[in-house]
Amino acid sequence: MSSRSELVARDLRAVWHPFTQHAQWPADDPLVIDRGSGVYLYDTDGRRYLDGVSSLWVTVHGHGEPAINDAIRAQLDRLEHSTFLGLTHEPGIRLAEELLRVAPAGLSRVFFAGDGSSAAEAAIKMAYQAALQRGRDRPLYLHVAEGYHGDTLGAVSLGGVELFHATYRPLLIETRIVGSPGVLGVGQTRAERANEVLAEMRAVLSREGERVCAVVVEPMVQAAGGMLTHDASFLVGVRALCDESGAAMLVDEVATGVGATGTWFGVDHAGVVPDLMVVGKRLTGGALPLSAVLARESVYDAFLGTPLSGRTFFHGHTYTANPLSCAAALANLALMHERGTVARAGVVGERLGAALASAAAYDGVAEIRRLGTMTGIEVHPVGQRTGFEVCRAARRRGVLIRPLGDVVVLMPPLGISDSELDELARVVDASIREVVQ
Ligand code: PMP
């Protein structure tokens, strides 16, 4: 096998990495990951790292989970791929059924895609086309600051993270944006902030509601915006505003869904049923890409008509519902039921919160936000790569985490053990103390 230094040199000659400033990256001493087992990743020098962000929020039970790998192998021997455009297959059918079993009652149709962004894109188009085919042209979307739905242009249009999205503004579809329910005024409670943003939304909808096809939110946690948590009453309020105005409630559960917050989906904290729900990330347990849009029957019905009516949803990707991905997802969901992974994620979150509690008092820590396993530690001074430095200190101690600006993000695999979780918390605490105390 090639040495790490040789692989890095070849990488630097040939590869362009996502969300990576290549003028800086060589100096940041790139790691080359060789293999994974359980919650650990191993680099080409054989060093072991605890995967503290579950490989960008996807690993559920652990790396190399045998039941998922076996399911992929078995599927591989039967059918590796066949299009879902006008054909079907059993893994796709079974997965749709399984997803509807755990989704909020009222969602009844599953449309598969590949990545979170591609599912978000499908849902965005569905909301517009459904309204149009019910006789109303509603070309506007209402969304919130600090939102993130992926990097394709429709998803970017509904985003609100300046650093990622501002550049592309001239290219985007028209939207109306209100404040983030997770960015609090001084002394304000989350419930008060929820009411304030709902009032802003109500004002927009009373002026232009007839033209708004969907209100788009990440439920409970705005993840890429910096793990900003909000009150469940916000989602109840959004549902009511959608009912009043006729806009669809479109929730993006790519980060929150499939267990991360200690419930199957973020909306379960509020007991709210959306019209469209986007899922991705952990669906396959972290093994393969797969995402989906779950829709209410009323949305689906708006697309029915004769083949020549033009009411078809003319949208789909080549590898949509890839059977290997579906087989992995079925194995993952079965394991989650068997192991009680969703409830366990709630327990993991509480233990992590308790283990990090003392860090909240450190001078360099502005706030610790958490729901279930989704955790953000805001560190300062801001704008000086402080978040990066904390993550680098953690890497020296054998833990891989990734910052979002000055928010140090932790999102361990849901199946992490108590002792592994304590190791994660201990290293993060020590790394914060090293950098900002
Ligand atoms: N929506 C949310 C809420 C996300 O957090 C992400 C990814 N972090 C996406 C959409 C995009 O998913 P993907 O990167 O798989 O396209």
Side-chain angles (χ1 to χ4, degrees):
M1 201 183 69
S2 306
S3 73
R4 175 180 174 214
S5 57
E6 189 203 325
L7 286 169
V8 169
R10 282 166 51 199
D11 180 290
L12 295 176
R13 279 196 295 273
V15 183
W16 187 349
H17 289 269
F19 282 87
T20 299
Q21 177 44 262
H22 274 258
Q24 172 68 37
W25 200 50
D28 284 344
D29 192 18
L31 276 188
V32 185
I33 299 302
D34 178 44
R35 63 191 182 88
S37 175
V39 300
Y40 294 102
L41 292 168
Y42 296 80
D43 72 9
T44 41
D45 295 333
R47 274 193 301 256
R48 187 180 89 159
Y49 302 91
L50 196 156
D51 186 356
V53 286
S54 51
S55 289
L56 222 53
W57 318 347
V58 299
T59 314
V60 175
H61 310 281
H63 292 278
E65 169 58 49
I68 294 177
N69 288 358
D70 288 348
I72 295 170
R73 274 189 212 102
Q75 182 59 43
L76 190 56
D77 288 337
R78 177 166 287 274
L79 173 68
E80 82 298 344
H81 185 65
S82 151
T83 182
F84 224 51
L85 278 63
L87 292 177
T88 193
H89 50 64
E90 188 170 344
I93 296 165
R94 280 181 51 215
L95 181 56
E97 291 168 348
E98 287 301 319
L99 277 173
L100 294 175
R101 218 155 68 78
V102 293
L107 294 171
S108 59
R109 297 283 167 177
V110 179
F111 182 92
F112 289 108
D115 294 286
S117 307
S118 58
E121 212 69 29
I124 291 164
K125 287 171 70 180
M126 278 175 182
Y128 174 71
Q129 192 175 342
L132 195 64
Q133 292 175 179
R134 288 191 200 113
R136 296 196 188 82
D137 186 17
R138 292 170 164 245
L140 280 180
Y141 296 81
L142 175 57
H143 61 117
V144 294
E146 307 303 336
Y148 179 84
H149 306 287
D151 300 327
T152 50
L153 284 178
V156 168
S157 300
L158 300 175
V161 181
E162 282 301 296
L163 178 65
F164 303 158
H165 299 146
T167 306
Y168 307 105
R169 200 148 289 139
L171 308 179
L172 304 181
I173 54 181
E174 200 180 351
T175 68
R176 297 291 179 264
I177 187 165
V178 296
S180 162
V183 177
L184 309 183
V186 181
Q188 198 175 34
T189 66
R190 284 189 161 69
E192 286 164 355
R193 180 59 182 158
N195 275 333
E196 198 169 70
V197 176
L198 288 168
E200 274 188 72
M201 286 184 154
R202 192 171 297 111
V204 172
L205 290 169
S206 65
R207 278 195 307 273
E208 301 184 276
E210 301 261 288
R211 299 187 65 228
V212 174
C213 70
V215 180
V216 183
V217 294
E218 286 166 84
M220 300 308 289
V221 187
Q222 291 183 288
M227 294 293 166
L228 299 167
T229 57
H230 57 248
D231 199 76
S233 62
F234 177 67
L235 300 175
V236 176
V238 169
R239 180 67 269 177
L241 289 174
C242 288
D243 290 340
E244 283 162 33
S245 66
M249 181 176 182
L250 194 173
V251 302
D252 180 349
E253 295 263 11
V254 170
T256 47
V258 196
T261 69
T263 53
W264 271 101
F265 298 98
V267 287
D268 296 339
H269 291 272
V272 156
V273 184
D275 299 288
L276 289 162
M277 184 167 101
V278 182
V279 297
K281 295 261 189 215
R282 277 171 300 285
L283 214 44
T284 63
L288 289 168
L290 186 67
S291 62
V293 183
L294 277 62
R296 284 202 196 217
E297 201 70 5
S298 55
V299 178
Y300 172 82
D301 278 346
F303 289 80
L304 300 179
T306 64
L308 297 180
S309 65
R311 295 169 75 90
T312 305
F313 188 44
F314 290 108
H315 180 110
H317 303 286
T318 309
Y319 281 100
T320 284
N322 171 260
L324 300 174
S325 296
C326 291
L330 283 165
N332 173 45
L333 295 180
L335 280 181
M336 289 182 72
H337 287 297
E338 194 181 303
R339 296 178 177 171
T341 303
V342 176
R344 171 69 191 158
V347 174
V348 164
E350 291 303 316
R351 190 178 178 95
L352 184 60
L356 292 171
S358 51
Y362 298 163
D363 284 345
V365 174
E367 191 179 37
I368 300 182
R369 299 182 285 268
R370 185 187 61 76
L371 184 69
T373 62
M374 300 178 75
T375 309
I377 306 168
E378 196 167 326
V379 292
H380 51 88
V382 295
Q384 293 179 30
R385 292 195 104 199
T386 309
F388 173 85
E389 291 302 338
V390 171
C391 295
R392 185 45 63 104
R395 181 173 129 179
R396 287 193 291 274
R397 293 173 166 86
V399 164
L400 289 183
I401 46 178
R402 212 184 130 77
L404 282 160
D406 292 304
V407 178
V408 174
V409 170
L410 309 183
M411 202 152 162
L414 308 186
I416 192 169
S417 73
D418 284 351
S419 60
E420 291 160 344
L421 190 67
D422 294 346
E423 176 191 348
L424 171 65
R426 216 173 26 247
V427 165
V428 169
D429 186 285
S431 303
I432 294 172
R433 273 189 280 126
E434 178 189 322
V435 174
V436 300
Q437 269 305 84

